[in-house]
Amino acid sequence: QKEVEQNSGPLSVPEGAIASLNCTYSDRGSQSFFWYRQYSGKSPELIMSIYSNGDKEDGRFTAQLNKASQYVSLLIRDSQPSDSATYLCAVPRTRSNYQLIWGAGTKLIIKP
Amino acid sequence: DAGVTQSPTHLIKTRGQQVTLRCSPKSGHDTVSWYQQALGQGPQFIFQYYEEEERQRGNFPDRFSGHQFPNYSSELNVNALLLGDSALYLCASSLGPGTSNGGNFGAGTRLSVL
C-alpha cells in the first residue's frame, strides 16, 4: 500500500460545478495535511493545509479531514477553467517531519 | 521579499556527466529541502540541509549529494547521471528543520539527461 494515494484522473468537471478530489494516507499518526496545485511544467503551489478533523474553508476551496477513515479531500466550488491543473496531496512523515510524502496527484480538467 | 530561487531553470546533460543545481531560500529561512519529481509522479524527498549539515535523507543513492553554505543557500550535486535522473528538481525552504508548514517551493530546475 502506498503511503499517500490519489486517483490519477483525469477528473473532468463542468465549469461552475464542484470538483471533489480525494487522498488517503496510511500513517495513522499523521497530524498535518497539505494540498498543492501544480500547473504543467511549474512547481507545486500550496493552496490548503489542514490539521484538525472537519472542514477548513478558504475562498472557493474547502479541505476536509477525517482521521478515523484516514482520508483528506479538497472541494473546489464554482470551478473555473483556471483551476485545471494537477492537485497533489502531501503528508509529513511522522517519524521525521523532515520529509513530505506525496501522492502522485489528480489531474483536474474544468470544461467550459 | 524574494522567494525561493533556483538556477538554472533548464539543463541538458548526457549520461555519465555531473550536474550542480542551486537554491537560495526565502529570506529569513534557514532550512532547505530537495525533491525530485519525475513526469507524472509526485515529488520524492532527496534530503534536507540545516546548519550546513544533511539532516535527513530519502531513498536516493550516494550519487546525489548536497551542500549548504553559511548564507543558507544550497547545492544539489548528481554524479554519473543516468537517463532516469531526468526530472524536475524542486527546492523548498522553511524556518527550522522538522517543520511541517508545507514549505515554500522554488520554480524548479528541469534536468534532461540524454
Side-chain angles (χ1 to χ4, degrees), chain A residues 32 34 36 38 41-44 46 51 88 92 96-100 102-105, chain B residues 35 37 42-43 45 48 55-57 88 90 97-102 105-107:
Chain A
S32 48
F34 304 103
Y36 293 80
Q38 186 173 30
K42 304 296 183 182
S43 64
L46 180 66
Y51 304 93
L88 295 154
S96 165
N97 262 344
Y98 299 155
Q99 302 185 35
L100 283 176
W102 301 72
Chain B
Y35 292 83
Q37 186 177 23
F45 176 80
Q48 184 185 72
R55 295 290 173 161
Q56 191 74 4
R57 189 180 184 90
L88 179 66
L90 298 164
T99 183
S100 58
N101 65 3
F105 284 85

PDB file of all heavy atoms in Angstrom, chain A residues 32 34 36 38 41-44 46 51 88 92 96-100 102-105, chain B residues 35 37 42-43 45 48 55-57 88 90 97-102 105-107:
ATOM      1  N   SER A  32      -0.686  16.564  10.012  1.00  0.00           N
ATOM      2  CA  SER A  32      -0.909  17.710   9.127  1.00  0.00           C
ATOM      3  C   SER A  32      -0.961  17.228   7.686  1.00  0.00           C
ATOM      4  O   SER A  32      -0.343  16.218   7.331  1.00  0.00           O
ATOM      5  CB  SER A  32       0.181  18.765   9.320  1.00  0.00           C
ATOM      6  OG  SER A  32       1.459  18.189   9.299  1.00  0.00           O
ATOM      7  N   PHE A  34      -1.489  18.593   3.452  1.00  0.00           N
ATOM      8  CA  PHE A  34      -1.346  19.728   2.542  1.00  0.00           C
ATOM      9  C   PHE A  34      -1.889  19.386   1.165  1.00  0.00           C
ATOM     10  O   PHE A  34      -1.711  18.273   0.683  1.00  0.00           O
ATOM     11  CB  PHE A  34       0.129  20.128   2.418  1.00  0.00           C
ATOM     12  CG  PHE A  34       0.792  20.434   3.725  1.00  0.00           C
ATOM     13  CD1 PHE A  34       1.635  19.514   4.319  1.00  0.00           C
ATOM     14  CD2 PHE A  34       0.573  21.636   4.362  1.00  0.00           C
ATOM     15  CE1 PHE A  34       2.245  19.782   5.528  1.00  0.00           C
ATOM     16  CE2 PHE A  34       1.174  21.916   5.577  1.00  0.00           C
ATOM     17  CZ  PHE A  34       2.016  20.991   6.160  1.00  0.00           C
ATOM     18  N   TYR A  36      -1.623  20.823  -2.760  1.00  0.00           N
ATOM     19  CA  TYR A  36      -0.882  21.678  -3.659  1.00  0.00           C
ATOM     20  C   TYR A  36      -1.538  21.642  -5.039  1.00  0.00           C
ATOM     21  O   TYR A  36      -2.093  20.623  -5.455  1.00  0.00           O
ATOM     22  CB  TYR A  36       0.565  21.202  -3.821  1.00  0.00           C
ATOM     23  CG  TYR A  36       1.408  21.312  -2.578  1.00  0.00           C
ATOM     24  CD1 TYR A  36       1.327  20.361  -1.576  1.00  0.00           C
ATOM     25  CD2 TYR A  36       2.314  22.362  -2.425  1.00  0.00           C
ATOM     26  CE1 TYR A  36       2.107  20.459  -0.435  1.00  0.00           C
ATOM     27  CE2 TYR A  36       3.103  22.467  -1.293  1.00  0.00           C
ATOM     28  CZ  TYR A  36       2.998  21.518  -0.306  1.00  0.00           C
ATOM     29  OH  TYR A  36       3.779  21.605   0.823  1.00  0.00           O
ATOM     30  N   GLN A  38      -0.523  22.201  -9.051  1.00  0.00           N
ATOM     31  CA  GLN A  38       0.646  22.253  -9.917  1.00  0.00           C
ATOM     32  C   GLN A  38       0.199  22.356 -11.368  1.00  0.00           C
ATOM     33  O   GLN A  38      -0.424  21.438 -11.902  1.00  0.00           O
ATOM     34  CB  GLN A  38       1.543  21.017  -9.728  1.00  0.00           C
ATOM     35  CG  GLN A  38       2.840  21.103 -10.503  1.00  0.00           C
ATOM     36  CD  GLN A  38       3.810  19.970 -10.187  1.00  0.00           C
ATOM     37  OE1 GLN A  38       3.388  18.865  -9.854  1.00  0.00           O
ATOM     38  NE2 GLN A  38       5.102  20.228 -10.270  1.00  0.00           N
ATOM     39  N   GLY A  41       4.454  21.874 -15.943  1.00  0.00           N
ATOM     40  CA  GLY A  41       5.786  22.452 -16.070  1.00  0.00           C
ATOM     41  C   GLY A  41       6.172  23.420 -14.979  1.00  0.00           C
ATOM     42  O   GLY A  41       7.271  23.971 -14.995  1.00  0.00           O
ATOM     43  N   LYS A  42       5.272  23.610 -14.005  1.00  0.00           N
ATOM     44  CA  LYS A  42       5.541  24.545 -12.916  1.00  0.00           C
ATOM     45  C   LYS A  42       5.749  23.785 -11.613  1.00  0.00           C
ATOM     46  O   LYS A  42       5.539  22.586 -11.533  1.00  0.00           O
ATOM     47  CB  LYS A  42       4.387  25.542 -12.765  1.00  0.00           C
ATOM     48  CG  LYS A  42       4.068  26.326 -14.023  1.00  0.00           C
ATOM     49  CD  LYS A  42       5.220  27.208 -14.440  1.00  0.00           C
ATOM     50  CE  LYS A  42       4.856  28.054 -15.655  1.00  0.00           C
ATOM     51  NZ  LYS A  42       6.006  28.900 -16.096  1.00  0.00           N
ATOM     52  N   SER A  43       6.163  24.507 -10.573  1.00  0.00           N
ATOM     53  CA  SER A  43       6.372  23.883  -9.277  1.00  0.00           C
ATOM     54  C   SER A  43       5.061  23.869  -8.484  1.00  0.00           C
ATOM     55  O   SER A  43       4.142  24.638  -8.772  1.00  0.00           O
ATOM     56  CB  SER A  43       7.465  24.626  -8.503  1.00  0.00           C
ATOM     57  OG  SER A  43       7.053  25.941  -8.217  1.00  0.00           O
ATOM     58  N   PRO A  44       4.951  22.996  -7.496  1.00  0.00           N
ATOM     59  CA  PRO A  44       3.724  22.936  -6.682  1.00  0.00           C
ATOM     60  C   PRO A  44       3.513  24.222  -5.894  1.00  0.00           C
ATOM     61  O   PRO A  44       4.464  24.820  -5.393  1.00  0.00           O
ATOM     62  CB  PRO A  44       3.976  21.755  -5.749  1.00  0.00           C
ATOM     63  CG  PRO A  44       5.058  20.960  -6.392  1.00  0.00           C
ATOM     64  CD  PRO A  44       5.912  21.952  -7.104  1.00  0.00           C
ATOM     65  N   LEU A  46       1.299  25.660  -2.660  1.00  0.00           N
ATOM     66  CA  LEU A  46       0.470  25.284  -1.523  1.00  0.00           C
ATOM     67  C   LEU A  46      -0.832  26.084  -1.539  1.00  0.00           C
ATOM     68  O   LEU A  46      -0.814  27.315  -1.574  1.00  0.00           O
ATOM     69  CB  LEU A  46       1.227  25.547  -0.223  1.00  0.00           C
ATOM     70  CG  LEU A  46       0.506  25.213   1.071  1.00  0.00           C
ATOM     71  CD1 LEU A  46       0.277  23.712   1.180  1.00  0.00           C
ATOM     72  CD2 LEU A  46       1.303  25.720   2.276  1.00  0.00           C
ATOM     73  N   TYR A  51      -5.152  20.599   9.774  1.00  0.00           N
ATOM     74  CA  TYR A  51      -4.526  19.893  10.876  1.00  0.00           C
ATOM     75  C   TYR A  51      -5.538  19.187  11.778  1.00  0.00           C
ATOM     76  O   TYR A  51      -5.181  18.286  12.528  1.00  0.00           O
ATOM     77  CB  TYR A  51      -3.708  20.874  11.719  1.00  0.00           C
ATOM     78  CG  TYR A  51      -2.683  21.635  10.919  1.00  0.00           C
ATOM     79  CD1 TYR A  51      -2.980  22.884  10.382  1.00  0.00           C
ATOM     80  CD2 TYR A  51      -1.414  21.100  10.688  1.00  0.00           C
ATOM     81  CE1 TYR A  51      -2.042  23.570   9.630  1.00  0.00           C
ATOM     82  CE2 TYR A  51      -0.469  21.795   9.941  1.00  0.00           C
ATOM     83  CZ  TYR A  51      -0.794  23.028   9.422  1.00  0.00           C
ATOM     84  OH  TYR A  51       0.131  23.711   8.675  1.00  0.00           O
ATOM     85  N   LEU A  88      -1.979  17.867  -5.847  1.00  0.00           N
ATOM     86  CA  LEU A  88      -1.146  16.925  -5.104  1.00  0.00           C
ATOM     87  C   LEU A  88      -1.472  17.011  -3.619  1.00  0.00           C
ATOM     88  O   LEU A  88      -1.577  18.101  -3.056  1.00  0.00           O
ATOM     89  CB  LEU A  88       0.328  17.248  -5.305  1.00  0.00           C
ATOM     90  CG  LEU A  88       0.858  17.089  -6.736  1.00  0.00           C
ATOM     91  CD1 LEU A  88       2.060  17.987  -6.956  1.00  0.00           C
ATOM     92  CD2 LEU A  88       1.242  15.649  -6.991  1.00  0.00           C
ATOM     93  N   PRO A  92       3.423  15.047   5.973  1.00  0.00           N
ATOM     94  CA  PRO A  92       4.757  14.882   6.570  1.00  0.00           C
ATOM     95  C   PRO A  92       4.900  13.499   7.191  1.00  0.00           C
ATOM     96  O   PRO A  92       3.971  12.998   7.837  1.00  0.00           O
ATOM     97  CB  PRO A  92       4.808  15.970   7.649  1.00  0.00           C
ATOM     98  CG  PRO A  92       3.775  16.957   7.257  1.00  0.00           C
ATOM     99  CD  PRO A  92       2.688  16.154   6.601  1.00  0.00           C
ATOM    100  N   SER A  96       9.669  11.532  11.108  1.00  0.00           N
ATOM    101  CA  SER A  96      10.558  12.660  10.891  1.00  0.00           C
ATOM    102  C   SER A  96       9.820  13.702  10.071  1.00  0.00           C
ATOM    103  O   SER A  96       9.464  13.446   8.934  1.00  0.00           O
ATOM    104  CB  SER A  96      11.818  12.231  10.142  1.00  0.00           C
ATOM    105  OG  SER A  96      12.479  13.384   9.640  1.00  0.00           O
ATOM    106  N   ASN A  97       9.586  14.851  10.663  1.00  0.00           N
ATOM    107  CA  ASN A  97       8.872  15.896   9.939  1.00  0.00           C
ATOM    108  C   ASN A  97       9.671  16.478   8.796  1.00  0.00           C
ATOM    109  O   ASN A  97       9.212  17.370   8.110  1.00  0.00           O
ATOM    110  CB  ASN A  97       8.475  17.013  10.902  1.00  0.00           C
ATOM    111  CG  ASN A  97       7.038  16.860  11.363  1.00  0.00           C
ATOM    112  OD1 ASN A  97       6.271  16.134  10.769  1.00  0.00           O
ATOM    113  ND2 ASN A  97       6.690  17.546  12.420  1.00  0.00           N
ATOM    114  N   TYR A  98      10.890  15.980   8.616  1.00  0.00           N
ATOM    115  CA  TYR A  98      11.706  16.496   7.537  1.00  0.00           C
ATOM    116  C   TYR A  98      11.085  16.220   6.174  1.00  0.00           C
ATOM    117  O   TYR A  98      11.271  16.968   5.248  1.00  0.00           O
ATOM    118  CB  TYR A  98      13.087  15.840   7.557  1.00  0.00           C
ATOM    119  CG  TYR A  98      13.906  16.068   8.805  1.00  0.00           C
ATOM    120  CD1 TYR A  98      14.886  15.163   9.174  1.00  0.00           C
ATOM    121  CD2 TYR A  98      13.699  17.177   9.613  1.00  0.00           C
ATOM    122  CE1 TYR A  98      15.651  15.367  10.299  1.00  0.00           C
ATOM    123  CE2 TYR A  98      14.457  17.389  10.747  1.00  0.00           C
ATOM    124  CZ  TYR A  98      15.434  16.485  11.085  1.00  0.00           C
ATOM    125  OH  TYR A  98      16.202  16.675  12.193  1.00  0.00           O
ATOM    126  N   GLN A  99      10.422  15.086   6.050  1.00  0.00           N
ATOM    127  CA  GLN A  99      10.012  14.637   4.737  1.00  0.00           C
ATOM    128  C   GLN A  99       8.523  14.828   4.503  1.00  0.00           C
ATOM    129  O   GLN A  99       7.705  14.472   5.334  1.00  0.00           O
ATOM    130  CB  GLN A  99      10.312  13.151   4.571  1.00  0.00           C
ATOM    131  CG  GLN A  99      11.745  12.770   4.746  1.00  0.00           C
ATOM    132  CD  GLN A  99      11.951  11.307   4.443  1.00  0.00           C
ATOM    133  OE1 GLN A  99      11.301  10.745   3.565  1.00  0.00           O
ATOM    134  NE2 GLN A  99      12.844  10.676   5.167  1.00  0.00           N
ATOM    135  N   LEU A 100       8.201  15.368   3.356  1.00  0.00           N
ATOM    136  CA  LEU A 100       6.827  15.346   2.880  1.00  0.00           C
ATOM    137  C   LEU A 100       6.662  14.117   1.991  1.00  0.00           C
ATOM    138  O   LEU A 100       7.477  13.878   1.108  1.00  0.00           O
ATOM    139  CB  LEU A 100       6.499  16.599   2.076  1.00  0.00           C
ATOM    140  CG  LEU A 100       6.240  17.896   2.840  1.00  0.00           C
ATOM    141  CD1 LEU A 100       6.039  19.049   1.866  1.00  0.00           C
ATOM    142  CD2 LEU A 100       5.038  17.749   3.753  1.00  0.00           C
ATOM    143  N   TRP A 102       4.307  12.457  -0.779  1.00  0.00           N
ATOM    144  CA  TRP A 102       3.356  12.985  -1.746  1.00  0.00           C
ATOM    145  C   TRP A 102       2.587  11.867  -2.449  1.00  0.00           C
ATOM    146  O   TRP A 102       3.118  10.788  -2.707  1.00  0.00           O
ATOM    147  CB  TRP A 102       4.088  13.773  -2.824  1.00  0.00           C
ATOM    148  CG  TRP A 102       4.882  14.931  -2.337  1.00  0.00           C
ATOM    149  CD1 TRP A 102       6.047  14.876  -1.635  1.00  0.00           C
ATOM    150  CD2 TRP A 102       4.606  16.310  -2.548  1.00  0.00           C
ATOM    151  NE1 TRP A 102       6.506  16.148  -1.390  1.00  0.00           N
ATOM    152  CE2 TRP A 102       5.634  17.049  -1.949  1.00  0.00           C
ATOM    153  CE3 TRP A 102       3.585  16.992  -3.202  1.00  0.00           C
ATOM    154  CZ2 TRP A 102       5.671  18.438  -1.960  1.00  0.00           C
ATOM    155  CZ3 TRP A 102       3.623  18.381  -3.229  1.00  0.00           C
ATOM    156  CH2 TRP A 102       4.660  19.087  -2.611  1.00  0.00           C
ATOM    157  N   GLY A 103       1.335  12.179  -2.761  1.00  0.00           N
ATOM    158  CA  GLY A 103       0.619  11.347  -3.711  1.00  0.00           C
ATOM    159  C   GLY A 103       1.082  11.682  -5.115  1.00  0.00           C
ATOM    160  O   GLY A 103       1.818  12.647  -5.330  1.00  0.00           O
ATOM    161  N   ALA A 104       0.638  10.882  -6.075  1.00  0.00           N
ATOM    162  CA  ALA A 104       1.036  11.094  -7.462  1.00  0.00           C
ATOM    163  C   ALA A 104       0.253  12.220  -8.127  1.00  0.00           C
ATOM    164  O   ALA A 104       0.616  12.675  -9.216  1.00  0.00           O
ATOM    165  CB  ALA A 104       0.879   9.805  -8.258  1.00  0.00           C
ATOM    166  N   GLY A 105      -0.824  12.668  -7.452  1.00  0.00           N
ATOM    167  CA  GLY A 105      -1.588  13.785  -7.991  1.00  0.00           C
ATOM    168  C   GLY A 105      -2.790  13.358  -8.805  1.00  0.00           C
ATOM    169  O   GLY A 105      -2.796  12.276  -9.405  1.00  0.00           O
TER     170      GLY A 105
ATOM    171  N   TYR B  35      13.741  17.961  -3.615  1.00  0.00           N
ATOM    172  CA  TYR B  35      12.833  16.921  -4.086  1.00  0.00           C
ATOM    173  C   TYR B  35      13.083  16.668  -5.565  1.00  0.00           C
ATOM    174  O   TYR B  35      13.444  17.577  -6.317  1.00  0.00           O
ATOM    175  CB  TYR B  35      11.373  17.332  -3.905  1.00  0.00           C
ATOM    176  CG  TYR B  35      10.915  17.421  -2.474  1.00  0.00           C
ATOM    177  CD1 TYR B  35      11.148  18.559  -1.719  1.00  0.00           C
ATOM    178  CD2 TYR B  35      10.248  16.353  -1.874  1.00  0.00           C
ATOM    179  CE1 TYR B  35      10.722  18.641  -0.391  1.00  0.00           C
ATOM    180  CE2 TYR B  35       9.814  16.425  -0.562  1.00  0.00           C
ATOM    181  CZ  TYR B  35      10.055  17.569   0.166  1.00  0.00           C
ATOM    182  OH  TYR B  35       9.633  17.637   1.471  1.00  0.00           O
ATOM    183  N   GLN B  37      11.017  15.265  -8.917  1.00  0.00           N
ATOM    184  CA  GLN B  37       9.692  14.938  -9.427  1.00  0.00           C
ATOM    185  C   GLN B  37       9.801  14.438 -10.864  1.00  0.00           C
ATOM    186  O   GLN B  37      10.049  15.217 -11.786  1.00  0.00           O
ATOM    187  CB  GLN B  37       8.743  16.134  -9.365  1.00  0.00           C
ATOM    188  CG  GLN B  37       7.316  15.770  -9.758  1.00  0.00           C
ATOM    189  CD  GLN B  37       6.352  16.935  -9.635  1.00  0.00           C
ATOM    190  OE1 GLN B  37       6.740  18.094  -9.670  1.00  0.00           O
ATOM    191  NE2 GLN B  37       5.067  16.625  -9.480  1.00  0.00           N
ATOM    192  N   GLY B  42       4.421  12.263  -8.090  1.00  0.00           N
ATOM    193  CA  GLY B  42       4.582  13.258  -7.049  1.00  0.00           C
ATOM    194  C   GLY B  42       6.053  13.429  -6.715  1.00  0.00           C
ATOM    195  O   GLY B  42       6.872  12.561  -7.020  1.00  0.00           O
ATOM    196  N   PRO B  43       6.421  14.537  -6.109  1.00  0.00           N
ATOM    197  CA  PRO B  43       7.826  14.738  -5.729  1.00  0.00           C
ATOM    198  C   PRO B  43       8.302  13.677  -4.743  1.00  0.00           C
ATOM    199  O   PRO B  43       7.520  13.172  -3.928  1.00  0.00           O
ATOM    200  CB  PRO B  43       7.811  16.126  -5.077  1.00  0.00           C
ATOM    201  CG  PRO B  43       6.603  16.812  -5.648  1.00  0.00           C
ATOM    202  CD  PRO B  43       5.597  15.718  -5.817  1.00  0.00           C
ATOM    203  N   PHE B  45      11.292  13.014  -1.808  1.00  0.00           N
ATOM    204  CA  PHE B  45      12.250  13.701  -0.948  1.00  0.00           C
ATOM    205  C   PHE B  45      13.644  13.148  -1.179  1.00  0.00           C
ATOM    206  O   PHE B  45      13.866  11.938  -1.130  1.00  0.00           O
ATOM    207  CB  PHE B  45      11.828  13.506   0.511  1.00  0.00           C
ATOM    208  CG  PHE B  45      12.772  14.079   1.527  1.00  0.00           C
ATOM    209  CD1 PHE B  45      12.757  15.429   1.829  1.00  0.00           C
ATOM    210  CD2 PHE B  45      13.661  13.259   2.201  1.00  0.00           C
ATOM    211  CE1 PHE B  45      13.608  15.955   2.789  1.00  0.00           C
ATOM    212  CE2 PHE B  45      14.513  13.770   3.169  1.00  0.00           C
ATOM    213  CZ  PHE B  45      14.484  15.126   3.455  1.00  0.00           C
ATOM    214  N   GLN B  48      17.466  17.010   3.232  1.00  0.00           N
ATOM    215  CA  GLN B  48      17.260  18.325   3.822  1.00  0.00           C
ATOM    216  C   GLN B  48      18.548  18.801   4.472  1.00  0.00           C
ATOM    217  O   GLN B  48      19.267  18.013   5.108  1.00  0.00           O
ATOM    218  CB  GLN B  48      16.153  18.286   4.878  1.00  0.00           C
ATOM    219  CG  GLN B  48      15.822  19.662   5.461  1.00  0.00           C
ATOM    220  CD  GLN B  48      14.819  19.583   6.591  1.00  0.00           C
ATOM    221  OE1 GLN B  48      15.139  19.127   7.679  1.00  0.00           O
ATOM    222  NE2 GLN B  48      13.593  20.003   6.330  1.00  0.00           N
ATOM    223  N   ARG B  55      20.447  16.630   7.286  1.00  0.00           N
ATOM    224  CA  ARG B  55      19.716  16.202   8.485  1.00  0.00           C
ATOM    225  C   ARG B  55      18.915  14.927   8.258  1.00  0.00           C
ATOM    226  O   ARG B  55      18.694  14.166   9.185  1.00  0.00           O
ATOM    227  CB  ARG B  55      18.761  17.308   8.934  1.00  0.00           C
ATOM    228  CG  ARG B  55      19.477  18.548   9.381  1.00  0.00           C
ATOM    229  CD  ARG B  55      20.207  18.322  10.695  1.00  0.00           C
ATOM    230  NE  ARG B  55      21.037  19.451  11.071  1.00  0.00           N
ATOM    231  CZ  ARG B  55      21.484  19.676  12.302  1.00  0.00           C
ATOM    232  NH1 ARG B  55      21.179  18.840  13.273  1.00  0.00           N
ATOM    233  NH2 ARG B  55      22.247  20.717  12.560  1.00  0.00           N
ATOM    234  N   GLN B  56      18.441  14.749   7.065  1.00  0.00           N
ATOM    235  CA  GLN B  56      17.637  13.558   6.763  1.00  0.00           C
ATOM    236  C   GLN B  56      17.775  13.293   5.276  1.00  0.00           C
ATOM    237  O   GLN B  56      17.989  14.212   4.497  1.00  0.00           O
ATOM    238  CB  GLN B  56      16.167  13.784   7.139  1.00  0.00           C
ATOM    239  CG  GLN B  56      15.305  12.537   7.115  1.00  0.00           C
ATOM    240  CD  GLN B  56      15.569  11.625   8.281  1.00  0.00           C
ATOM    241  OE1 GLN B  56      16.341  11.944   9.169  1.00  0.00           O
ATOM    242  NE2 GLN B  56      14.942  10.466   8.276  1.00  0.00           N
ATOM    243  N   ARG B  57      17.667  12.024   4.915  1.00  0.00           N
ATOM    244  CA  ARG B  57      17.854  11.651   3.529  1.00  0.00           C
ATOM    245  C   ARG B  57      16.768  10.682   3.105  1.00  0.00           C
ATOM    246  O   ARG B  57      16.392   9.787   3.865  1.00  0.00           O
ATOM    247  CB  ARG B  57      19.225  10.993   3.351  1.00  0.00           C
ATOM    248  CG  ARG B  57      19.618  10.745   1.909  1.00  0.00           C
ATOM    249  CD  ARG B  57      20.990  10.087   1.831  1.00  0.00           C
ATOM    250  NE  ARG B  57      21.405   9.930   0.448  1.00  0.00           N
ATOM    251  CZ  ARG B  57      22.097  10.819  -0.240  1.00  0.00           C
ATOM    252  NH1 ARG B  57      22.495  11.939   0.351  1.00  0.00           N
ATOM    253  NH2 ARG B  57      22.431  10.622  -1.500  1.00  0.00           N
ATOM    254  N   LEU B  88      12.108  17.039 -12.767  1.00  0.00           N
ATOM    255  CA  LEU B  88      12.059  18.397 -12.238  1.00  0.00           C
ATOM    256  C   LEU B  88      12.601  18.334 -10.809  1.00  0.00           C
ATOM    257  O   LEU B  88      12.111  17.559  -9.991  1.00  0.00           O
ATOM    258  CB  LEU B  88      10.617  18.914 -12.233  1.00  0.00           C
ATOM    259  CG  LEU B  88      10.383  20.317 -11.679  1.00  0.00           C
ATOM    260  CD1 LEU B  88      11.037  21.375 -12.568  1.00  0.00           C
ATOM    261  CD2 LEU B  88       8.875  20.585 -11.538  1.00  0.00           C
ATOM    262  N   LEU B  90      13.114  20.154  -7.336  1.00  0.00           N
ATOM    263  CA  LEU B  90      12.477  21.217  -6.577  1.00  0.00           C
ATOM    264  C   LEU B  90      13.219  21.469  -5.281  1.00  0.00           C
ATOM    265  O   LEU B  90      13.672  20.536  -4.613  1.00  0.00           O
ATOM    266  CB  LEU B  90      11.026  20.843  -6.249  1.00  0.00           C
ATOM    267  CG  LEU B  90      10.109  20.638  -7.456  1.00  0.00           C
ATOM    268  CD1 LEU B  90       8.853  19.899  -7.032  1.00  0.00           C
ATOM    269  CD2 LEU B  90       9.761  21.980  -8.071  1.00  0.00           C
ATOM    270  N   PRO B  97      14.412  22.930  10.958  1.00  0.00           N
ATOM    271  CA  PRO B  97      14.191  21.578  10.445  1.00  0.00           C
ATOM    272  C   PRO B  97      12.953  20.980  11.063  1.00  0.00           C
ATOM    273  O   PRO B  97      12.445  21.476  12.056  1.00  0.00           O
ATOM    274  CB  PRO B  97      15.446  20.834  10.909  1.00  0.00           C
ATOM    275  CG  PRO B  97      15.809  21.516  12.182  1.00  0.00           C
ATOM    276  CD  PRO B  97      15.441  22.972  12.002  1.00  0.00           C
ATOM    277  N   GLY B  98      12.478  19.927  10.474  1.00  0.00           N
ATOM    278  CA  GLY B  98      11.340  19.239  11.055  1.00  0.00           C
ATOM    279  C   GLY B  98      10.064  20.041  10.992  1.00  0.00           C
ATOM    280  O   GLY B  98       9.102  19.753  11.689  1.00  0.00           O
ATOM    281  N   THR B  99      10.043  21.038  10.136  1.00  0.00           N
ATOM    282  CA  THR B  99       8.843  21.851  10.041  1.00  0.00           C
ATOM    283  C   THR B  99       7.801  21.162   9.187  1.00  0.00           C
ATOM    284  O   THR B  99       8.133  20.412   8.279  1.00  0.00           O
ATOM    285  CB  THR B  99       9.176  23.232   9.460  1.00  0.00           C
ATOM    286  OG1 THR B  99       7.984  24.006   9.442  1.00  0.00           O
ATOM    287  CG2 THR B  99       9.693  23.117   8.047  1.00  0.00           C
ATOM    288  N   SER B 100       6.585  21.386   9.492  1.00  0.00           N
ATOM    289  CA  SER B 100       5.521  20.770   8.704  1.00  0.00           C
ATOM    290  C   SER B 100       4.544  21.827   8.221  1.00  0.00           C
ATOM    291  O   SER B 100       3.341  21.620   8.221  1.00  0.00           O
ATOM    292  CB  SER B 100       4.791  19.730   9.540  1.00  0.00           C
ATOM    293  OG  SER B 100       4.254  20.331  10.721  1.00  0.00           O
ATOM    294  N   ASN B 101       5.099  22.975   7.795  1.00  0.00           N
ATOM    295  CA  ASN B 101       4.213  24.037   7.322  1.00  0.00           C
ATOM    296  C   ASN B 101       4.004  23.992   5.818  1.00  0.00           C
ATOM    297  O   ASN B 101       3.423  24.892   5.262  1.00  0.00           O
ATOM    298  CB  ASN B 101       4.769  25.403   7.721  1.00  0.00           C
ATOM    299  CG  ASN B 101       6.084  25.714   7.040  1.00  0.00           C
ATOM    300  OD1 ASN B 101       6.577  24.952   6.227  1.00  0.00           O
ATOM    301  ND2 ASN B 101       6.673  26.848   7.377  1.00  0.00           N
ATOM    302  N   GLY B 102       4.481  22.964   5.155  1.00  0.00           N
ATOM    303  CA  GLY B 102       4.303  22.849   3.714  1.00  0.00           C
ATOM    304  C   GLY B 102       5.412  23.478   2.910  1.00  0.00           C
ATOM    305  O   GLY B 102       5.539  23.202   1.729  1.00  0.00           O
ATOM    306  N   PHE B 105       8.232  26.559  -2.187  1.00  0.00           N
ATOM    307  CA  PHE B 105       8.960  25.932  -3.274  1.00  0.00           C
ATOM    308  C   PHE B 105       9.467  26.929  -4.291  1.00  0.00           C
ATOM    309  O   PHE B 105       8.798  27.921  -4.595  1.00  0.00           O
ATOM    310  CB  PHE B 105       8.075  24.902  -3.981  1.00  0.00           C
ATOM    311  CG  PHE B 105       7.919  23.619  -3.220  1.00  0.00           C
ATOM    312  CD1 PHE B 105       6.948  23.498  -2.239  1.00  0.00           C
ATOM    313  CD2 PHE B 105       8.749  22.539  -3.463  1.00  0.00           C
ATOM    314  CE1 PHE B 105       6.809  22.321  -1.513  1.00  0.00           C
ATOM    315  CE2 PHE B 105       8.617  21.359  -2.757  1.00  0.00           C
ATOM    316  CZ  PHE B 105       7.646  21.259  -1.774  1.00  0.00           C
ATOM    317  N   GLY B 106      10.637  26.638  -4.818  1.00  0.00           N
ATOM    318  CA  GLY B 106      11.150  27.386  -5.949  1.00  0.00           C
ATOM    319  C   GLY B 106      10.488  26.915  -7.229  1.00  0.00           C
ATOM    320  O   GLY B 106       9.694  25.978  -7.232  1.00  0.00           O
ATOM    321  N   ALA B 107      10.839  27.573  -8.326  1.00  0.00           N
ATOM    322  CA  ALA B 107      10.235  27.248  -9.617  1.00  0.00           C
ATOM    323  C   ALA B 107      10.764  25.942 -10.190  1.00  0.00           C
ATOM    324  O   ALA B 107      10.180  25.386 -11.121  1.00  0.00           O
ATOM    325  CB  ALA B 107      10.472  28.381 -10.601  1.00  0.00           C
TER     326      ALA B 107
END
